[in-house]
Amino acid sequence: MEASGSAFPSDNDDEDDEDDDTMDWEDVALPSYMTGAGSSGHDEAGDVTMAEPEAIENEPATYKDVEVVVEGARRPMNKMSKMEMAVQRQLREWMHNSHVVLLISHFMVRNNWCAREDVQAVCLSVIPDHIQRQCKNKDASRDDFTMGIKWLLTWWHGYFTITGPGLVTRSHDEYDLREWDQHLHDNLLQRLGLQDTEIVADSLAFVNCLAEKKGTRDLSAQLFTALLRTLGFDTRLVCSLQPVPYRIPARRKESAPSKKENEEEEKDTPSEMAFPLRTSRATARLAYNRGDGDGDQVWKHKKAKVPTVWCEVWNPHVQRWQCVDPVRQLYNEPLLMEPGVSDRRNLLSMVLALECPERPQGKKRQRPRLCRAIDVTRRYTTKWQRALSLRERDLTKREREIGWQRWSDVLLNILAGSARGSARHDADVLRRLEREQEELASLEKHDALPSSLQGFRHHPVYALERHLKKHEVIHPPDTRVIGHIKGEKIYPRANVRTLHTRETWIKQGRVVRDGQDPVKKVAARAVTIEKKRILEEAKMQGNPIEAELFGEWQTGPYIAPPVVDGIVPKNAFGRVDLFTPEMLPKGAAHLEIQGIGRLARQLGIDFAECVVDFEFMRGRSLPVMNGIVVAEENKAMLLEAWREQEHHRFEKEQSKQQREAYKRWRKLLMGCMIDAHVERDYGRKKDDDNENAIQHGNATAWDRYLREEHGKKNDNDDDYAGGGFIRENDEDSHSAAGGGFLQDDEEEDDDDDILQRSKKRKGKGRAIVSDDDDDDSDSDLYDAQADDDDPDSDDEAVAGGFLFDDD
DNA sequence: GTGCAGTAATCGCCTTTGTGAAAC
DNA sequence: GGTTTCACTTTGGCGATTACTGCA
């Protein structure tokens, strides 16, 4: 064979040559970029270099009738893989969830401040007398109650100046994480204009804002909550959380800027993006920048954008919580607290009402208990489903199947339940809570018929045919039509049924009954390479394959053929499908033990591997196995054999370990003996000033080792009783009572001797014993002398292990 | 301000039965 | 030499959904 610069070739190895002689090779001419001929083939140093990718792409190589075209990169460089996207998505979710927790903590701290006695004392000093007098009559009648709140709202409107919006929603893009790394301590928030609310260090600074009479909308609502509590109103601080979204908005292609984009560009500083208002932005900005007193009127106007913090007061006359917006002077107008759809700085997803924290009775200085936070979102939104979707992504099908709960649901349950469990609420408060929950639940159920087509999408009660998914159908066909909208029929959502292919039904343990016609046919889909080829071929022949879909009413439970004479019925692949436990053949047993199939084969027992699922890898579908299926009558025998085999294996393993241990000990001892021999025969010939030689005399290395170890022990503890090797020549100097090897020249280590010796030292020693009954400490030091009268304590002190001997 | 249609982007679901090398 | 175990690798297309824009 000749290879003219071929990359597949032939080293001049003799063996290779022999093999090559039997093969029919063909000479081919390689293009210049592969042979290295031409200018780019070798660099000046003579190293082989790669040709430019463009050259490869532009120069198709032709080998007789075969054309090879090297394609460029299939995926654009900036496009993320699915896995990268999943990682990014996970990161965003963690950021979102963390932000939610931090915001709740923030509002809980503020809520606690609103309940402090020192804060309320300052509040009382600023509230005019006539309002205080009016509020004292709040329990007299419904009108007095309402009037007290309205007077307070009016006074507050003139008293407090709004300087900013408070916390708002910001997108991921606005937080440049690279900058965070570099300037974390550089008050970056303020510099980037992301400081939406004032920094209040403690309750003193908080109440100082009341004296300064100005602050953000958030602060206004928080201080107003403190005022209401001061006047004896049962008040909750309500906050609509504005965390960073877990979803990234769709990135638009670069095109001519729209009108709105142009408007955005007009903004001078990032901070102004945080103040969206329906009233002219320019007016608000000018007023705010000037710092004149009228600027805040823009925030307080009834048509101003909705704030994210407000209050709720319990009205005993109507037995309901009523909302109070101190910023816009609104009372009991819950639906006006919902932000407009165009307001992207205020997304209503989770509204929490923080109750007044209880202070433990008789302990004024003690911290208040954790306050209860109730999810009251449904009271303030007409778009409940949208609020839920903004909270958190839906669980995937798999997550639902394995019983996961939404993170936000778990969190809200904890927030609502923790205080319920810990605080001492009277029956009245609990009843009030239950009633509120019922009221909120009914708000969801009694949704009015939507007025737009879009409103029917995902509606829990109603459905339109146009919104049915690919695998959905209205069943039965003669379902009663509830009404019409713009000429389209409205059906009950309960009659929307999901369809599946035969294979999908089998995975759910159901099988399509004989003679059933498919309800719907859709284009078949393929994922595996093999299936794709089949589909493509069918398409080219003009007969595209369609997938047949069936409804649950057309299926019945899957019943596998039974076991006969110990033989397990198998599918075409020699296995048993066991996607659900009900699919187990009658008379069979499922053994979920890995490797038991081998034993069954050895014993001549018929069995089949179990397929419980499929997974996808490299464009192929692979079955997921879990154990085997055998005939029920063989189960006991097989399990017994398995136990025996395991026992045998365990013993074998143990003896192997033991052999290994002996081997290592032998090696160590042999080494020591050789060392000792060398030392004895040649060591003494060394220099006389070698201290070791003089000191140890004829002692072997093993002896020296033991002495050194012994010496170390003496340095650490005068008496060692924990175990190991101890050589004892002097009774008074050492004692070993805890275990291990005791070598005593004069006496055997019987218990009486040990007790006697320990009693000699009793006056001096102490032992560490543990006392599990004592909650305050895990272990206590007992003075042995103090327990002189208790004979049991003597034993315990000895057996405890540590004896300190002053000798 | 609201709803609708169109567009673009994200994201979840569907699919459905291996292979070769190393270890035992 | 036969059998078992382990590692390999993280598709990709389509439909549903959502955000956004312009228009009525």
Side-chain angles (χ1 to χ4, degrees):
Chain A
M1 184 202 96
E2 273 183 48
S4 51
S6 170
F8 308 100
S10 60
D11 295 330
N12 295 327
D13 192 78
D14 291 338
E15 285 175 23
D16 283 354
D17 284 343
E18 279 174 26
D19 292 341
D20 293 344
D21 290 338
T22 62
M23 297 167 74
D24 189 17
W25 288 81
E26 183 184 357
D27 290 348
V28 293
L30 292 178
S32 58
Y33 65 82
M34 289 182 80
T35 59
S39 57
S40 65
H42 290 76
D43 62 14
E44 286 178 8
D47 296 324
V48 177
T49 55
M50 289 298 292
E52 292 295 319
E54 290 84 2
I56 297 172
E57 281 181 42
N58 298 335
E59 191 181 341
T62 308
Y63 306 106
K64 291 186 178 172
D65 56 342
V66 180
E67 187 176 272
V68 179
V69 179
V70 183
E71 288 183 0
R74 297 180 83 184
R75 196 203 299 158
M77 291 298 284
N78 57 350
K79 183 146 186 186
M80 283 192 291
S81 72
K82 282 202 168 187
M83 202 166 78
E84 287 168 323
M85 283 167 73
V87 170
Q88 292 290 322
R89 192 163 55 242
Q90 182 82 66
L91 191 65
R92 286 198 307 274
E93 283 179 20
W94 285 342
M95 282 174 67
H96 169 85
N97 294 356
S98 307
H99 200 185
V100 168
V101 172
L102 290 170
L103 286 170
I104 292 171
S105 310
H106 163 78
F107 284 112
M108 279 187 167
V109 170
R110 295 284 170 103
N111 184 50
N112 279 352
W113 290 351
C114 296
R116 283 178 69 103
E117 286 177 7
D118 49 355
V119 170
Q120 291 188 3
V122 179
C123 287
L124 199 63
S125 69
V126 298
I127 301 171
D129 289 343
H130 69 282
I131 295 176
Q132 288 189 35
R133 278 197 300 276
Q134 174 60 39
C135 289
K136 274 179 188 164
N137 297 329
K138 66 181 187 304
D139 294 331
S141 70
R142 188 175 168 177
D143 288 344
D144 285 323
F145 184 92
T146 309
M147 197 173 289
I149 290 175
K150 286 195 171 170
W151 282 15
L152 190 67
L153 277 172
T154 310
W155 165 75
W156 183 250
H157 185 254
Y159 179 86
F160 199 80
T161 304
I162 306 289
T163 59
L167 295 172
V168 294
T169 290
R170 292 185 175 278
S171 69
H172 282 270
D173 297 346
E174 288 177 58
Y175 299 105
D176 190 340
L177 294 179
R178 288 162 302 175
E179 291 242 21
W180 282 87
D181 287 344
Q182 291 165 14
H183 308 285
L184 203 58
H185 307 293
D186 204 16
N187 202 3
L188 184 73
L189 280 179
Q190 207 165 24
R191 203 160 55 77
L192 294 179
L194 302 176
Q195 181 78 51
D196 296 323
T197 187
E198 54 279 279
I199 296 169
V200 184
D202 52 24
S203 60
L204 188 67
F206 179 66
V207 86
N208 273 344
C209 296
L210 190 64
E212 286 174 13
K213 301 181 184 178
K214 64 178 182 183
T216 57
R217 295 187 301 180
D218 289 8
L219 194 67
S220 169
Q222 289 156 11
L223 287 169
F224 196 79
T225 304
L227 292 172
L228 284 169
R229 286 178 183 169
T230 304
L231 292 169
F233 289 95
D234 191 354
T235 313
R236 286 164 160 183
L237 178 67
V238 181
C239 47
S240 169
L241 303 183
Q242 303 294 319
V244 60
Y246 67 90
R247 238 192 317 248
I248 47 172
R251 288 184 181 82
R252 315 295 293 184
K253 272 188 176 175
E254 283 183 19
S255 57
S258 63
K259 272 187 198 173
K260 287 200 175 183
E261 281 169 345
N262 286 332
E263 278 182 24
E264 294 288 323
E265 282 172 12
E266 285 173 15
K267 295 171 185 171
D268 299 321
T269 60
S271 63
E272 283 154 16
M273 292 168 71
F275 305 110
L277 282 172
R278 286 179 194 165
T279 321
S280 160
R281 253 199 310 267
T283 316
R285 193 187 329 158
L286 278 173
Y288 179 63
N289 288 343
R290 279 202 308 269
D292 56 16
D294 292 340
D296 77 313
Q297 296 306 316
V298 178
W299 315 104
K300 291 174 177 175
H301 196 273
K302 280 195 164 54
K303 286 187 177 177
K305 289 234 166 178
V306 178
T308 56
V309 186
W310 60 94
C311 343
E312 273 181 357
V313 287
W314 175 256
N315 188 335
H317 306 289
V318 293
Q319 291 287 306
R320 294 180 77 165
W321 287 98
Q322 294 178 323
C323 81
V324 182
D325 175 8
V327 176
R328 297 176 298 165
Q329 291 188 83
L330 297 175
Y331 174 58
N332 198 19
E333 299 275 8
L335 289 180
L336 291 183
M337 304 314 292
E338 183 169 30
V341 284
S342 57
D343 190 348
R344 283 164 207 156
R345 292 280 172 215
N346 186 355
L347 300 177
L348 194 146
S349 61
M350 191 185 287
V351 184
L352 296 179
L354 308 179
E355 294 193 339
C356 184
E358 281 189 13
R359 202 168 287 278
Q361 299 282 324
K363 294 179 182 176
K364 285 188 178 178
R365 292 182 65 82
Q366 199 169 326
R367 282 165 180 268
R369 290 177 192 275
L370 188 70
C371 65
R372 179 167 45 201
I374 308 294
D375 176 21
V376 290
T377 313
R378 276 172 291 190
R379 183 176 292 145
Y380 296 104
T381 183
T382 52
K383 303 176 188 76
W384 172 234
Q385 291 301 323
R386 179 177 151 79
L388 285 179
S389 77
L390 283 170
R391 259 181 210 187
E392 193 180 348
R393 69 167 172 80
D394 271 340
L395 292 177
T396 62
K397 196 180 161 194
R398 280 195 177 205
E399 286 169 345
R400 279 195 299 270
E401 279 170 0
I402 58 175
W404 280 23
Q405 278 183 284
R406 281 166 66 104
W407 176 84
S408 55
D409 290 344
V410 175
L411 177 75
L412 289 169
N413 275 337
I414 293 169
L415 291 172
S418 63
R420 195 182 300 161
S422 62
R424 297 178 309 279
H425 286 301
D426 54 40
D428 189 41
V429 174
L430 286 177
R431 211 176 307 123
R432 205 164 80 178
L433 190 70
E434 280 167 16
R435 212 154 110 188
E436 183 186 26
Q437 290 302 314
E438 284 168 15
E439 181 195 324
L440 291 173
S442 69
L443 281 173
E444 189 184 351
K445 282 179 192 164
H446 296 102
D447 259 356
L449 204 66
S451 56
S452 70
L453 294 173
Q454 283 297 315
F456 282 90
R457 191 185 281 271
H458 306 302
H459 195 282
V461 183
Y462 313 110
L464 298 181
E465 213 158 3
R466 67 155 63 194
H467 292 144
L468 292 179
K469 292 176 190 166
K470 188 179 166 185
H471 287 66
E472 283 179 345
V473 75
I474 304 277
H475 180 80
D478 56 348
T479 295
R480 185 176 59 90
V481 176
I482 293 174
H484 291 84
I485 179 167
K486 295 180 184 171
E488 291 195 37
K489 293 173 185 169
I490 303 169
Y491 296 97
R493 175 69 64 180
N495 288 66
V496 175
R497 312 288 284 272
T498 306
L499 308 173
H500 292 301
T501 58
R502 290 177 193 272
E503 293 78 18
T504 312
W505 278 122
I506 284 192
K507 274 206 79 181
Q508 295 182 17
R510 301 188 71 81
V511 65
V512 176
R513 287 197 293 267
D514 290 338
Q516 295 290 328
D517 292 327
V519 180
K520 206 172 177 181
K521 285 184 179 178
V522 295
R525 297 180 53 200
V527 170
T528 58
I529 297 162
E530 194 61 34
K531 276 273 178 182
K532 273 181 189 166
R533 192 178 297 137
I534 294 167
L535 280 188
E536 199 60 36
E537 275 175 18
K539 200 174 167 187
M540 284 170 73
Q541 288 168 8
N543 301 316
I545 299 173
E546 286 185 316
E548 297 180 334
L549 303 178
F550 300 88
E552 191 176 10
W553 66 93
Q554 296 178 293
T555 67
Y558 173 83
I559 299 165
V563 174
V564 180
D565 297 332
I567 304 297
V568 178
K570 303 169 188 75
N571 65 13
F573 304 92
R575 295 161 177 159
V576 166
D577 293 330
L578 204 65
F579 303 119
T580 64
E582 293 77 29
M583 291 174 76
L584 188 68
K586 198 178 176 187
H590 182 203
L591 302 176
E592 295 178 64
I593 301 171
Q594 199 184 3
I596 200 169
R598 188 183 182 181
L599 186 64
R601 191 178 294 120
Q602 285 168 358
L603 294 171
I605 296 172
D606 186 65
F607 73 97
E609 288 180 305
C610 284
V611 180
V612 293
D613 201 0
F614 286 93
E615 64 180 9
F616 287 82
M617 197 175 285
R618 289 191 291 188
R620 266 191 296 229
S621 175
L622 305 176
V624 178
M625 309 293 185
N626 182 22
I628 60 166
V629 164
V630 292
E632 184 72 49
E633 61 260 29
N634 293 329
K635 181 184 172 184
M637 184 176 70
L638 191 55
L639 283 177
E640 184 56 38
W642 173 255
R643 274 188 220 106
E644 204 172 305
Q645 180 185 281
E646 282 297 290
H647 181 69
H648 184 65
R649 195 180 59 81
F650 177 73
E651 279 186 339
K652 207 172 154 187
E653 196 138 305
Q654 236 186 359
S655 73
K656 190 182 167 189
Q657 261 185 354
Q658 213 169 23
R659 277 201 308 276
E660 286 287 320
Y662 283 141
K663 231 161 97 179
R664 288 185 184 131
W665 271 110
R666 189 172 181 277
K667 201 174 174 184
L668 173 69
L669 293 171
M670 288 294 286
C672 290
M673 284 166 69
I674 291 167
D675 187 33
H677 273 293
V678 172
E679 187 73 27
R680 191 181 60 205
D681 294 346
Y682 306 103
R684 273 181 296 173
K685 291 174 185 171
K686 284 183 184 174
D687 204 349
D688 281 341
D689 60 6
N690 185 336
E691 277 185 25
N692 288 333
I694 293 167
Q695 196 176 343
H696 296 133
N698 290 331
T700 63
W702 178 242
D703 287 331
R704 286 207 306 281
Y705 169 74
L706 288 177
R707 279 184 194 216
E708 279 167 18
E709 286 303 303
H710 195 116
K712 278 183 201 167
K713 291 282 175 227
N714 287 341
D715 290 341
N716 295 333
D717 317 310
D718 284 337
D719 217 326
Y720 176 70
F725 299 94
I726 292 183
R727 254 190 176 183
E728 187 163 334
N729 295 316
D730 182 356
E731 187 192 334
D732 288 329
S733 62
H734 307 291
S735 172
F741 298 85
L742 181 75
Q743 209 171 79
D744 196 311
D745 293 343
E746 291 182 15
E747 57 186 39
E748 297 295 320
D749 54 341
D750 63 75
D751 291 349
D752 291 333
D753 288 336
I754 294 165
L755 269 175
Q756 279 178 3
R757 279 189 290 159
S758 69
K759 279 178 182 174
K760 281 184 193 173
R761 298 189 184 89
K762 211 167 49 176
K764 305 169 190 174
R766 292 198 304 172
I768 299 169
V769 294
S770 68
D771 187 356
D772 291 335
D773 294 330
D774 191 339
D775 291 333
D776 293 327
S777 64
D778 294 325
S779 67
D780 282 328
L781 280 175
Y782 284 95
D783 193 278
Q785 181 130 34
D787 296 324
D788 223 354
D789 298 326
D790 184 5
D792 294 341
S793 67
D794 293 341
D795 295 345
E796 197 170 22
V798 175
F802 295 92
L803 292 169
F804 297 90
D805 196 322
D806 291 338
D807 286 343

